[in-house]
């Protein structure tokens, strides 16, 4: 260590194939004063695969101790240490530990740099076959069904391609929920075991993917979903009404829901309002099936 403030290094680690490790990763692991790892056992396996040894102090840094350990690492940084942060796979802070430490380091005016590495988000996007000029990362959805539906309704009108992480045992429920909220015809891709031996990318409409996943899927999962249509010509009255209903079910007032749907579709609010009124009148005059706006 030196007498000056140290450096925090965020290092990407392989998401599957160890050969994808960035060349700089080995050097940083060998020379860092402190290596903060999400799982020290997995770190040990990684260093063995790379044929190297860490010379600095190794500490665990995971969701359960992130808050408590951050001050300790900041203290080391202010004392001049070079602290290397690695997670089990991919880049720190991206749906993994790291954000708290980065924020704390920035607040102390400590230098933060990165060793770029593999990313499941970008890899899945590239392989999906869906538009990648604009995208957003939504991470893991809530585990509870009601909360999951609520989160999906919040992004029902998102025009950018969306990327989600999901556990294999919840994949079928998640895809079914996406089909319900986004529409069964919405295109998507399920990327499984990226860069590993049994890598698989399953592409198709959400409804078909939900049926496929019901048979059981294993491995690390990344789901890429096409964004909502962004031209008024592609939205008929029924779709406009459906989007208003989705927003109302998420807790918005009808007036606000109509305004939001109109803005997203590039339509006058009156056109969306008329579609909602027409659907409401049709539901009143038609058979009492429990559907439609009330």
């Amino acid at each position: 260590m030196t007498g000056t403030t140290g450096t925090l290094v965020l290092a990407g680690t392989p998401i599957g194939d160890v050969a994808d490790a960035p060349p700089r990763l080995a050097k940083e692991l060998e020379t860092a004063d402190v290596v903060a790892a999400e799982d020290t056992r997995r770190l040990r396996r990684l260093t063995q695969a790379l044929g190297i040894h860490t010379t600095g102090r190794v500490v665990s840094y995971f969701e359960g101790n992130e808050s408590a350990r951050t001050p300790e690492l900041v203290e080391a940084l202010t004392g001049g240490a070079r602290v290397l942060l690695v997670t089990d796979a991919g880049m720190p802070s991206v749906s993994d530990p790291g954000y708290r430490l980065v924020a704390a380091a920035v607040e102390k005016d400590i230098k933060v740099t990165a060793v770029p590495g593999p990313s499941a988000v970008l890899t899945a996007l590239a392989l999906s076959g869906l538009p990648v000029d604009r995208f957003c990362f939504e991470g893991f959805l809530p585990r509870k069904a009601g909360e999951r539906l609520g989160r999906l309704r919040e992004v029902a009108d998102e025009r950018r391609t969306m990327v989600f992480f999901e556990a294999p045992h919840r994949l079928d429920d998640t895809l079914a929920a996406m089909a319900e909220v986004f529409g069964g015809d919405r295109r998507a891709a399920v990327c499984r075991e990226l860069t590993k031996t049994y890598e698989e990318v399953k592409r198709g409409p959400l409804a078909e993917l939900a049926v496929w996943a019901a048979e059981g899927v294993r491995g690390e999962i990344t789901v890429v979903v096409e964004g909502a249509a962004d031209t008024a010509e592609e939205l008929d009255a029924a779709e406009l009404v459906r989007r208003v209903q989705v927003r109302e079910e998420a807790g918005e007032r009808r007036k606000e829901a109509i305004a939001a749907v109109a803005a997203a579709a590039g339509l006058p609010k009156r056109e969306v309002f008329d579609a909602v009124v027409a659907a409401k009148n049709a539901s009143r005059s038609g058979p009492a099936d429990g559907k439609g706006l009330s």
Side-chain angles (χ1 to χ4, degrees), residues 111-226:
K111 181 180 178 181
V112 181
T113 187
V115 177
S119 166
V121 175
L122 296 180
T123 303
L125 270 170
L127 296 177
S128 69
L130 297 172
V132 297
D133 54 328
R134 298 177 66 229
F135 67 91
C136 60
F137 175 57
E138 293 294 326
F140 283 95
L141 291 167
R143 297 182 181 183
K144 294 182 179 179
E147 294 177 3
R148 181 167 57 233
L149 280 172
R151 180 74 62 78
L152 290 173
R153 286 165 180 157
E154 289 176 3
V155 296
D157 296 331
E158 174 59 64
R159 299 182 187 183
R160 295 171 294 181
T161 298
M162 295 170 282
V163 184
F164 302 83
F165 287 161
E166 191 50 279
H169 62 279
R170 290 195 299 269
L171 179 62
D172 55 342
D173 289 337
T174 291
L175 290 172
M178 287 178 171
E180 177 184 341
V181 175
F182 299 154
D185 292 336
R186 183 82 70 91
R187 294 187 300 165
V190 177
C191 304
R192 186 179 72 85
E193 294 290 87
L194 290 172
T195 77
K196 299 178 183 177
T197 303
Y198 298 103
E199 176 181 283
E200 179 182 20
V201 179
K202 188 74 172 178
R203 306 174 183 86
L206 282 168
E208 291 183 11
L209 291 174
V211 173
W212 164 76
E215 300 177 1
V217 178
R218 296 181 179 181
E220 301 287 337
I221 304 293
T222 305
V223 181
V224 186
V225 183
E226 181 182 36

Side-chain angles (χ1 to χ4, degrees), residues 13 52 59 71 77 86 88 126 142 159 171 196 235 250 269 283 292:
T13 53
I52 61 172
V59 299
L77 286 162
V86 294
D88 291 346
R159 299 182 187 183
L171 179 62
K196 299 178 183 177
L235 301 178
K269 285 187 287 186
S283 67

Side-chain angles (χ1 to χ4, degrees), residues 4-288:
T4 59
T5 303
T7 300
L8 173 61
V9 183
L10 311 178
T13 53
I15 60 176
D17 192 336
V18 176
D20 292 334
R24 281 176 53 204
L25 178 61
K27 179 181 178 181
E28 292 288 353
L29 284 168
E30 288 181 313
T31 59
D33 299 305
V34 181
V35 179
E38 185 176 9
D39 186 327
T40 56
R41 292 168 299 180
R42 294 188 67 163
L43 171 65
R44 191 178 305 115
R45 290 197 291 270
L46 175 61
T47 56
Q48 290 173 347
L50 295 175
I52 61 172
H53 297 281
T54 56
T55 57
R57 180 165 59 98
V58 175
V59 299
S60 63
Y61 190 75
F62 58 96
E63 185 178 0
N65 73 353
E66 191 174 359
S67 295
R69 180 140 282 169
T70 293
E72 174 189 330
L73 294 175
V74 170
E75 183 179 355
L77 286 162
T78 55
R82 190 172 184 85
V83 175
L84 178 69
L85 178 61
V86 294
T87 60
D88 291 346
M91 284 297 296
S93 293
V94 182
S95 206
D96 273 324
Y99 166 75
R100 287 185 178 89
L101 182 55
V102 173
V106 169
E107 185 177 351
K108 295 288 187 179
D109 201 27
I110 295 169
K111 181 180 178 181
V112 181
T113 187
V115 177
S119 166
V121 175
L122 296 180
T123 303
L125 270 170
L127 296 177
S128 69
L130 297 172
V132 297
D133 54 328
R134 298 177 66 229
F135 67 91
C136 60
F137 175 57
E138 293 294 326
F140 283 95
L141 291 167
R143 297 182 181 183
K144 294 182 179 179
E147 294 177 3
R148 181 167 57 233
L149 280 172
R151 180 74 62 78
L152 290 173
R153 286 165 180 157
E154 289 176 3
V155 296
D157 296 331
E158 174 59 64
R159 299 182 187 183
R160 295 171 294 181
T161 298
M162 295 170 282
V163 184
F164 302 83
F165 287 161
E166 191 50 279
H169 62 279
R170 290 195 299 269
L171 179 62
D172 55 342
D173 289 337
T174 291
L175 290 172
M178 287 178 171
E180 177 184 341
V181 175
F182 299 154
D185 292 336
R186 183 82 70 91
R187 294 187 300 165
V190 177
C191 304
R192 186 179 72 85
E193 294 290 87
L194 290 172
T195 77
K196 299 178 183 177
T197 303
Y198 298 103
E199 176 181 283
E200 179 182 20
V201 179
K202 188 74 172 178
R203 306 174 183 86
L206 282 168
E208 291 183 11
L209 291 174
V211 173
W212 164 76
E215 300 177 1
V217 178
R218 296 181 179 181
E220 301 287 337
I221 304 293
T222 305
V223 181
V224 186
V225 183
E226 181 182 36
D230 60 1
T231 58
E233 291 73 22
E234 295 181 72
L235 301 178
D236 58 19
E239 175 62 14
L240 294 173
V241 172
R242 186 190 73 82
R243 293 190 178 194
V244 170
Q245 287 178 307
V246 165
R247 286 183 169 273
E248 284 191 275
E249 290 169 4
E252 286 189 20
R253 295 168 55 188
R254 181 168 295 177
K255 181 179 179 181
E256 295 164 348
I258 288 173
V261 170
L267 293 170
K269 285 187 287 186
R270 186 72 196 183
E271 186 170 336
V272 180
F273 174 80
D274 289 344
V276 170
V277 171
K280 182 178 179 180
N281 292 336
S283 67
R284 284 178 174 174
S285 61

